[in-house]
Amino acid sequence: MNFDPAVPSPRFRALHIEEFGLAEEEYQHLLSFHHLVRIPKRSFFVKAGDVNTMQGYVNKGCARSYTLDNKGKEHVLFFGFEDWWLGDIESLETGRPGKQYVQAIEDLELLCISARDFNTLCDTIPTLRINRGLKLRRMFYSMIDRLIEVKSCSPQERLDKLLKMRPDIFGRVAMQDIASYLDIEPPSLSRMRRRMLEAERSTT
Amino acid sequence: MNFDPAVPSPRFRALHIEEFGLAEEEYQHLLSFHHLVRIPKRSFFVKAGDVNTMQGYVNKGCARSYTLDNKGKEHVLFFGFEDWWLGDIESLETGRPGKQYVQAIEDLELLCISARDFNTLCDTIPTLRINRGLKLRRMFYSMIDRLIEVKSCSPQERLDKLLKMRPDIFGRVAMQDIASYLDIEPPSLSRMRRRMLEAERSTT
């Protein structure tokens, strides 16, 4: 990992000032605790078994988080694109070794802050604490949605949901990672994708 | 639903005083906002499409939460036993209609408090607010575990995990609900269970 001074994307600033409601000096104070971390494609931000001490805001690039089953097979849980936060939250917050691998699938540019610094800042900036709670809630809701999706949606419904959320997914993420995320065998996913593209072409 | 004054289980008191660290008068104040709700077996505490306004601590009994897919098939997400909280958290906290059904599978005795009262109390009792955050975090971690389990564990591993958590599950919950929770076809689950009982018998 390379560390540089943080150069935030305009979205990072807007998120904290317009959405979270931080004052300019609070934002600048928070920003001073971040640093830029570049993670080349295929390298890891977090590995299962390690303690995750930093959370990373995705300035640019994308990542996948996955677990290994006891046969060593990968299972993709989430993707992280621009404006998402990366990390193994349980490990970050408890200081225990994590269960997830978080790996760059495009060159990543992250704005990182240590869990310790972030916790200290939450004690002194109430707006930040409140927004941390809101962020956790939103992540919790999307986790329930993901569980409902995995358990009860058909393969086509799962694919439709993903494409609605990320229309550019096939241009940025390998077919086998999308297939693992959706729990669809790669050849089936290729066929589904081909049929969708053919249907699109026939209507244009 | 029948409403009665709250008669908490000893565990409810211990949870708030010993685990959460509430002072006696804070606990009594909190308790005064709870009421006892009895929900007979097969009746609902929450229905998808309704706004969930109350959270319920399970004093006694058990419940299942499930969603319906677009063919009307049920998918069991969680079970709730003694000392768990029931509710559709997203609906509770956002005031939007929920996605889950929460149904009694044994006669339920709940200690209920409205989301509005609970929020007001969290503003005046900091210990309660901090513990609400901790509770949410724990639920979030177990949600990630559940997602990992659903995606990457074998049927036998899923069953083993459930039995470790709830050794009494087959005595309290119908086979088809356990099968739905585990994503195992009921006949396969029956066979797995029979094999496990036979193996137990042969070693005793």
Side-chain angles (χ1 to χ4, degrees):
Chain A
M1 289 186 196
N2 299 314
F3 290 74
D4 285 303
V7 182
S9 64
R11 180 68 194 118
F12 185 78
R13 185 191 164 81
L15 176 76
H16 287 89
I17 293 194
E18 287 158 34
E19 199 171 314
F20 291 1
L22 257 64
E24 179 65 34
E25 62 271 29
E26 288 172 333
Y27 167 70
Q28 292 297 341
H29 186 57
L30 171 70
L31 187 61
S32 71
F33 286 88
H34 284 78
H35 44 261
L36 199 73
V37 177
R38 294 180 202 279
I39 300 179
K41 187 173 171 173
R42 281 186 282 276
S43 293
F44 288 87
F45 176 56
V46 175
K47 281 187 177 180
D50 291 349
V51 175
N52 185 195
T53 57
M54 280 197 305
Q55 60 184 43
Y57 172 89
V58 183
N59 234 8
K60 207 171 160 201
C62 72
R64 62 178 190 140
S65 81
Y66 67 89
T67 50
L68 293 178
D69 66 23
N70 60 18
K71 289 177 180 163
K73 189 183 168 191
E74 294 174 358
H75 298 269
V76 174
L77 303 173
F78 313 104
F79 297 115
F81 295 91
E82 285 81 7
D83 201 31
W84 288 46
W85 292 90
L86 302 184
D88 182 318
I89 293 185
E90 182 169 359
S91 176
L92 263 174
E93 298 210 346
T94 63
R96 293 194 296 258
K99 296 163 192 162
Q100 297 175 46
Y101 294 84
V102 182
Q103 184 186 29
I105 51 179
E106 285 177 356
D107 288 346
L108 271 179
E109 192 182 287
L110 301 177
L111 291 178
C112 289
I113 183 169
S114 73
R116 184 185 293 180
D117 285 343
F118 193 71
N119 286 338
T120 307
L121 287 167
C122 281
D123 289 340
T124 54
I125 308 176
T127 320
L128 200 62
R129 192 193 69 230
I130 292 163
N131 276 288
R132 176 169 68 169
L134 283 176
K135 195 173 79 176
L136 188 72
R137 279 178 171 71
R138 274 191 222 124
M139 287 165 67
F140 182 71
Y141 307 154
S142 57
M143 199 67 62
I144 295 181
D145 283 344
R146 178 94 172 100
L147 182 65
I148 291 175
E149 175 197 311
V150 168
K151 280 191 68 84
S152 69
C153 289
S154 70
Q156 187 64 51
E157 285 168 340
R158 297 201 292 275
L159 176 55
D160 291 345
K161 267 177 191 273
L162 181 60
L163 283 172
K164 194 173 168 193
M165 189 171 68
R166 295 296 321 183
D168 59 347
I169 191 99
F170 281 98
R172 298 185 66 179
V173 177
M175 181 70 80
Q176 70 190 41
D177 284 333
I178 303 174
S180 173
Y181 174 89
L182 294 172
D183 287 310
I184 301 176
E185 288 302 313
S188 306
L189 181 59
S190 292
R191 276 194 301 276
M192 289 165 74
R193 167 113 173 104
R194 207 162 45 236
R195 273 200 301 272
M196 289 173 86
L197 288 175
E198 282 165 8
E200 265 171 40
R201 258 183 236 119
S202 70
T203 55
T204 53
Chain B
M1 291 184 191
N2 300 311
F3 291 75
D4 285 305
V7 182
S9 64
R11 180 68 194 117
F12 184 79
R13 184 190 166 80
L15 176 75
H16 287 89
I17 292 192
E18 286 157 35
E19 200 171 313
F20 290 1
L22 258 64
E24 179 64 34
E25 63 271 27
E26 289 172 333
Y27 167 70
Q28 291 298 341
H29 185 58
L30 171 70
L31 187 60
S32 71
F33 286 87
H34 284 77
H35 45 261
L36 200 72
V37 177
R38 293 179 202 280
I39 300 180
K41 187 173 169 171
R42 281 186 283 275
S43 293
F44 288 86
F45 176 55
V46 175
K47 281 187 177 180
D50 291 349
V51 175
N52 185 196
T53 57
M54 282 196 306
Q55 59 184 44
Y57 172 89
V58 183
N59 235 7
K60 207 174 161 198
C62 71
R64 61 176 190 142
S65 81
Y66 67 90
T67 51
L68 293 179
D69 66 23
N70 59 20
K71 289 177 180 164
K73 189 182 168 194
E74 294 174 358
H75 298 269
V76 174
L77 302 173
F78 314 103
F79 298 114
F81 295 92
E82 286 81 6
D83 201 30
W84 288 46
W85 293 88
L86 302 184
D88 182 318
I89 292 185
E90 183 170 358
S91 176
L92 263 174
E93 298 209 347
T94 61
R96 294 194 296 256
K99 297 164 191 161
Q100 297 175 46
Y101 294 83
V102 181
Q103 184 186 31
I105 51 179
E106 284 177 359
D107 289 345
L108 271 179
E109 193 181 287
L110 301 178
L111 292 176
C112 289
I113 183 168
S114 74
R116 184 185 294 184
D117 285 344
F118 193 71
N119 286 337
T120 307
L121 287 166
C122 281
D123 289 339
T124 54
I125 308 176
T127 320
L128 200 60
R129 191 193 71 228
I130 292 164
N131 277 287
R132 176 169 67 167
L134 283 176
K135 196 173 78 176
L136 188 72
R137 279 178 171 71
R138 274 192 221 122
M139 287 165 66
F140 182 72
Y141 308 154
S142 58
M143 199 66 62
I144 295 181
D145 283 344
R146 178 95 170 100
L147 181 66
I148 291 175
E149 176 196 312
V150 168
K151 279 192 68 84
S152 69
C153 290
S154 70
Q156 186 64 51
E157 285 168 341
R158 296 200 292 272
L159 176 56
D160 291 344
K161 268 176 191 272
L162 180 61
L163 283 170
K164 194 173 167 193
M165 189 171 69
R166 295 297 320 182
D168 59 347
I169 190 98
F170 282 97
R172 300 185 65 179
V173 177
M175 181 69 81
Q176 69 190 40
D177 283 333
I178 303 174
S180 173
Y181 175 90
L182 294 172
D183 287 310
I184 300 175
E185 288 302 314
S188 304
L189 181 60
S190 292
R191 277 193 300 276
M192 289 164 74
R193 166 116 172 102
R194 208 160 45 236
R195 274 200 301 272
M196 288 174 86
L197 288 174
E198 282 165 6
E200 264 171 39
R201 259 183 234 116
S202 70
T203 55
T204 52

